[in-house]
Amino acid sequence: MESRKRRAFFDIIDEYFERFEELANRLEEVFFEKPSWNCKTCTIEPLREIKVTPNEVIVTVDLPYAEEKTIKVIPVGKDRISISAEMKRKVSFDDFGITHYKGEFQRFHCEARVPVPVYTDRMEVQFKRGMLEIRLPRKHEYEIPI
Amino acid sequence: MHNTIRIIDKRDAPKDAVMIFGFPDVGLVGVIASSHLISELNLQEVAYVDSDLLPPITVLHEGLPHSPIRIFGNHNVLLAVSETVLREDLVYPIMHSLIDWGRSKEVKLMISLSGIPIPDRQDLEELKVFAAASNPELLKMVEEKGIEILKEGYMVGPQAVMLQYCATLGIPAVTLLTQCFFNYPDPEAAAKVLERLMGIIGLKVDVSKLLEKGEEIRLKARDMMKRTQQELMKMKKTQEFDIPLYIT
């Protein structure tokens, strides 16, 4: 009974932090809007979505034109993952009908912030019909700083 | 002019036409489908929305300014499409104005094209299209065309306002919703909704190009999808996943 209560308490705290992280991510998007492309690095930022379930975090990334063999998912620190992929063909602003910018893109790149602790060494990656899916098991341990 | 919505006619609109709506929503299904219809049927701009309620945006095409919300058409089809996501507070006034305009042109049927988000969409090979309608006769008609009825649930966004307002005014209206991604542009879903639209109004449109250009469309539509996501969150779009409490 006591352990159930304690778990419930930690669940509430956990949920609170998840909500706070979600809000922080939204604010980051709103206040730090930037183009979805970078001419210097010739990269395009793909659309992505992060879903937190009780047991895992699922990150999906839309990668049209991506060459499957070149997809890299690399953990960066404790709470971020870097995702990159080469494109099958170069895409330029001209392809979008845009003439006031110049530049070519041949790579996708983005960094995704994982809002809860996860085991990055146990992640599973799947690529299907241009959609990348990364599954990261959640850590349910609490570190109490002394 | 303050706080008003004007629809400015550029050329004569046909009478007894079918009016189609394609607005930014989940998977950008309606916008992608509409864009394909405009190019395949060579639809011409018939009218546009002018309002100081809209954000200060003009869309440049070939160096010329255009309203982000326009109505295209030919001799039997009218198509209202938006190149910018509608702010939550503008959904009602804009949709009401467009429907009132369509009513003044004696439109015989209104159809909105959109999506219904489904988890694990990437695992689906065959997408289902669902329909809701403004009256029982139309529901029967779409069911006879092999389209499944969305019997219970919530609908959020421009298509919800369109269906409700048409039902109130007694205008025949149908909403077609294809299973799609929530947050990613979905050209396959757009092709599917067009196939069903053709079945209802007897239109012939080749959707093969839409499927061939799927990756290109997904790449081009990223920015619009991102802005649409932000507005959908404000609109509480996820309510469509909710199980309703039935009140009879």
Side-chain angles (χ1 to χ4, degrees):
Chain A
M1 186 73 185
E2 197 187 327
S3 71
R4 197 185 296 168
K5 264 187 191 170
R6 273 174 60 188
R7 271 178 61 189
F9 171 74
F10 279 116
D11 284 346
I12 291 164
I13 298 289
D14 208 18
E15 203 176 295
Y16 172 79
F17 278 108
E18 274 170 31
R19 282 188 190 167
F20 185 76
E21 286 279 349
E22 201 181 309
L23 185 68
N25 286 340
R26 273 193 227 169
L27 288 174
E28 192 179 292
E29 276 182 15
V30 171
F31 290 108
F32 301 100
E33 270 197 20
K34 55 184 191 305
S36 62
W37 40 266
N38 186 328
C39 285
K40 279 187 186 168
T41 56
C42 299
T43 54
I44 283 183
E45 192 178 335
L47 287 173
R48 61 186 180 274
E49 191 181 6
I50 299 169
K51 205 184 333 174
V52 180
T53 74
N55 296 319
E56 60 184 355
V57 173
I58 305 164
V59 181
T60 56
V61 190
D62 192 23
L63 297 173
Y65 288 132
E67 190 73 67
E68 187 173 357
K69 288 182 287 184
T70 66
I71 296 171
K72 284 181 188 159
V73 183
I74 302 166
V76 181
K78 280 185 178 177
D79 64 349
R80 295 187 94 87
I81 50 170
S82 163
I83 300 144
S84 65
E86 301 292 326
M87 292 162 79
K88 286 178 216 160
R89 50 164 285 205
K90 278 185 185 173
V91 178
S92 69
F93 281 115
D94 285 344
D95 295 325
F96 301 134
I98 292 171
T99 52
H100 57 289
Y101 293 122
K102 294 288 167 205
E104 278 189 332
F105 307 98
Q106 50 195 10
R107 206 169 139 253
F108 284 109
H109 179 254
C110 70
E111 272 197 15
R113 190 166 168 213
V114 184
V116 293
V118 290
Y119 294 103
T120 50
D121 54 334
R122 281 164 43 190
M123 70 180 167
E124 286 175 20
V125 179
Q126 192 191 24
F127 186 66
K128 196 174 175 186
R129 294 155 67 196
M131 189 65 65
L132 181 71
E133 187 181 80
I134 306 155
R135 289 178 175 266
L136 300 136
R138 282 183 67 172
K139 274 185 189 173
H140 289 289
E141 296 158 6
Y142 300 94
E143 284 177 20
I144 302 167
I146 299 166
Chain B
M1 188 193 77
H2 294 287
N3 297 329
T4 54
I5 297 169
R6 290 192 304 154
I7 299 186
I8 316 287
D9 288 357
K10 285 186 78 175
R11 62 181 74 206
D12 288 341
K15 280 188 178 173
D16 286 332
V18 173
M19 189 169 176
I20 301 161
F21 295 80
F23 281 76
D25 193 18
V26 286
L28 295 180
V29 174
V31 179
I32 297 170
S34 297
S35 171
H36 188 68
L37 276 181
I38 291 167
S39 67
E40 283 294 305
L41 299 177
N42 194 25
L43 302 181
Q44 301 299 307
E45 190 177 333
V46 170
Y48 62 91
V49 173
D50 180 33
S51 172
D52 58 0
L53 293 172
L54 288 173
I57 295 174
T58 188
V59 187
L60 295 169
H61 291 300
E62 303 291 333
L64 296 171
H66 296 275
S67 165
I69 306 171
R70 292 187 282 168
I71 302 164
F72 292 81
N74 62 13
H75 62 285
N76 58 0
V77 169
L78 289 165
L79 170 65
V81 64
S82 176
E83 292 181 78
T84 188
V85 59
L86 282 194
R87 242 177 33 219
E88 183 197 9
D89 57 319
L90 293 182
V91 173
Y92 272 100
I94 296 284
M95 294 311 289
H96 284 188
S97 299
L98 288 168
I99 290 161
D100 289 341
W101 179 89
R103 196 184 186 199
S104 74
K105 307 295 177 195
E106 297 173 36
V107 162
K108 64 177 177 187
L109 174 66
M110 299 205 178
I111 302 182
S112 63
L113 309 178
S114 194
I116 185 160
I118 180 157
D120 303 323
R121 155 70 183 92
Q122 67 266 37
D123 297 328
L124 287 183
E125 297 286 340
E126 193 60 36
L127 302 176
K128 271 188 187 175
V129 179
F130 294 89
S134 62
N135 67 51
E137 293 75 29
L138 270 174
L139 269 187
K140 198 177 165 206
M141 183 273 282
V142 290
E143 211 168 9
E144 281 168 5
K145 302 276 183 192
I147 303 171
E148 211 169 304
I149 303 303
L150 187 73
K151 287 185 180 164
E152 308 286 346
Y154 295 106
M155 202 191 287
V156 179
Q159 66 278 13
V161 174
M162 178 274 213
L163 198 61
Q164 183 67 58
Y165 192 49
C166 284
T168 305
L169 297 177
I171 300 170
V174 174
T175 291
L176 294 177
L177 304 154
T178 317
Q179 291 177 322
C180 69
F181 286 114
F182 192 111
N183 281 326
Y184 300 123
D186 201 332
E188 270 181 58
K192 199 73 196 173
V193 85
L194 284 178
E195 282 174 9
R196 291 306 196 181
L197 174 73
M198 288 188 266
I200 293 176
I201 62 173
L203 203 66
K204 281 194 177 167
V205 179
D206 182 9
V207 295
S208 60
K209 278 189 212 161
L210 187 54
L211 295 168
E212 283 163 23
K213 289 165 76 180
E215 286 190 298
E216 185 186 328
I217 294 167
R218 278 160 59 195
L219 198 64
K220 279 184 179 173
R222 282 172 313 117
D223 289 337
M224 189 191 235
M225 187 75 251
K226 204 171 172 185
R227 298 214 177 265
T228 304
Q229 284 172 9
Q230 290 165 1
E231 215 51 50
L232 291 178
M233 271 159 74
K234 288 183 209 157
M235 246 182 245
K236 307 276 181 217
K237 184 72 183 177
T238 47
Q239 192 173 348
E240 287 188 355
F241 291 124
D242 290 3
I243 296 164
L245 168 69
Y246 304 111
I247 301 169
T248 50

